[in-house]
Amino acid sequence: MQKPSNLLIKVARRLFENEDEQTQFINALFAPQPFFPCILWCQEKPDVSPFLLETPTPWQPEFIDRLHLNEKPGQHSLHQEGYFYCLDFSSVFAASPLLTIQQPISMIFDMCAAPGGKSIFAWKALKPNLLISNEVIGKRLGMLISNLKRCQIQPSCVVNRDPSIFAESFTKSSDLVIVDAPCTGQSLLAKGGKAPGCFHHTSINKSANRQKRIMANSAQVVAPQGYLLYMTCTYSPEENEQVCEWFLEKFSQFKAVKIEHLSNYQSHLTDLYCYRMFPHQRLGAGAFTALFKNTEDGEVNTGNIDTILAMNKYVQGINESSYWISTHN
Ligand code: SAM
């Protein structure tokens, strides 16, 4: 019989002092068990649920349902009709700091958006005047656009550029920037998937450097007094706590926000307000999340957003400059 790899054992030892917890974590990745399916209601939720429901966690919003293990929500006709979006409960955990934002959020910029789960969560939770969902990898645009269209996420638009472009052209424009960063994807193992090389230090370092670059560019896009949400679906501290520590050192105008409802999930690997969910807690495959607030004062730059809103039309398909625009008519 195969044994867990040495690299996985090493990660477990770095993450947990307690040996039992190390073993539980390793087992969750080595012998994955299914998690409860989860859906996000984009449209009005029916009075009587079409699914058997699990008991909600105290902090999940009413537009989220966790379903009985045997439910197959993706096969239900309401899915095709755009009533709900299927997502891992870890995504709900990671996006849940958005539920604490009290100020009006006019403009949301999702920097790493495909296939669209966090964009849809943010849109539902914060009802912005405009959602811009960016996906830099061309072949991932189709699923992002089709999900936003199917779920009728309006007003929204999809763009396809490297974050450095927006650092220049959308400076200080957005009340909320979401960075659901590309990562080594270690939590895929807890879902029975594959993530080759995900524990190797070369992959981890490469990924951490990319995350820092995305965060540095995204910081420029956050409006004064706006928010930046950082999250990953991986476990290594280099891609999580260490990115956040680096970020706050470099961009001292930001501060980490305490998220009361996640206090039981505070990361013990840093003093910053950073939160982790692990697969052996049995809610989802695992995630890391931290919310930052820009404490700077000043004017919000709405120039380019006004231009997008002025293009009040639908553009079908994607071309080189790639905008799918869907605004209120
Ligand atoms: N937010 C998505 C959701 O909730 O459905 C999942 C995003 S996934 C974790 C990370 C995304 O970042 C991928 O779609 C990937 O193509 C994109 N990405 C890869 N390299 C990137 C880069 N250099 N800058 C921005 N995004 C990048």
Side-chain angles (χ1 to χ4, degrees), residues 107-111 113-114 119 123 128-135 141 144-145 148-149 152-160 166 170 304-315 321-328:
M107 158 82 176
I108 297 177
F109 207 117
D110 188 351
M111 209 46 96
S119 280
W123 173 84
N129 293 333
L130 180 62
L131 165 70
I132 300 184
S133 301
N134 177 53
E135 173 51 51
L141 281 172
L144 172 61
I145 293 173
L148 296 179
K149 277 187 172 174
Q152 298 155 53
I153 308 301
Q154 297 170 340
S156 68
C157 92
V158 170
V159 290
N160 162 226
F166 302 114
F170 282 81
N304 263 324
I305 298 150
D306 291 343
T307 313
I308 286 185
L309 283 168
M311 292 167 69
N312 188 11
K313 63 182 181 186
Y314 289 92
V315 179
S321 55
S322 71
Y323 295 100
W324 166 70
I325 314 269
S326 166
T327 58
H328 286 312

Side-chain angles (χ1 to χ4, degrees), residues 85 91 110-119 134-137 140 162-163 180-182 210 213-214 233:
Y85 180 85
S91 292
D110 188 351
M111 209 46 96
C112 316
K118 309 308 183 310
S119 280
N134 177 53
E135 173 51 51
V136 71
I137 308 279
R140 290 175 63 82
D162 186 81
D180 186 8
R210 179 164 62 175
R213 202 168 59 242
I214 296 172
C233 64

Side-chain angles (χ1 to χ4, degrees), residues 46-115:
D47 291 337
V48 179
S49 172
F51 303 112
L52 284 175
L53 302 181
E54 291 296 313
T55 312
T57 59
W59 46 266
Q60 79 190 49
E62 54 70 38
F63 58 80
I64 294 289
D65 278 331
R66 274 193 326 131
L67 314 183
H68 191 275
L69 218 43
N70 293 335
E71 294 287 6
K72 305 260 182 293
Q75 294 173 10
H76 197 284
S77 60
L78 290 180
H79 179 258
Q80 198 45 41
E81 290 168 42
Y83 273 80
F84 58 80
Y85 180 85
C86 301
L87 74 178
D88 190 289
F89 196 73
S90 302
S91 292
V92 176
F93 168 84
S96 76
L98 300 181
L99 301 168
T100 67
I101 295 179
Q102 297 297 324
Q103 70 198 48
I105 297 292
S106 164
M107 158 82 176
I108 297 177
F109 207 117
D110 188 351
M111 209 46 96
C112 316

Side-chain angles (χ1 to χ4, degrees), residues 6-33:
N6 287 341
L7 287 175
L8 169 55
I9 295 169
K10 224 164 126 183
V11 170
R13 287 189 182 142
R14 283 182 70 204
L15 291 176
F16 308 102
E17 279 177 19
N18 180 299
E19 277 186 30
D20 283 347
E21 210 169 358
Q22 289 170 12
T23 308
Q24 287 171 27
F25 173 75
I26 291 169
N27 287 342
L29 271 64
F30 193 63
Q33 300 294 317

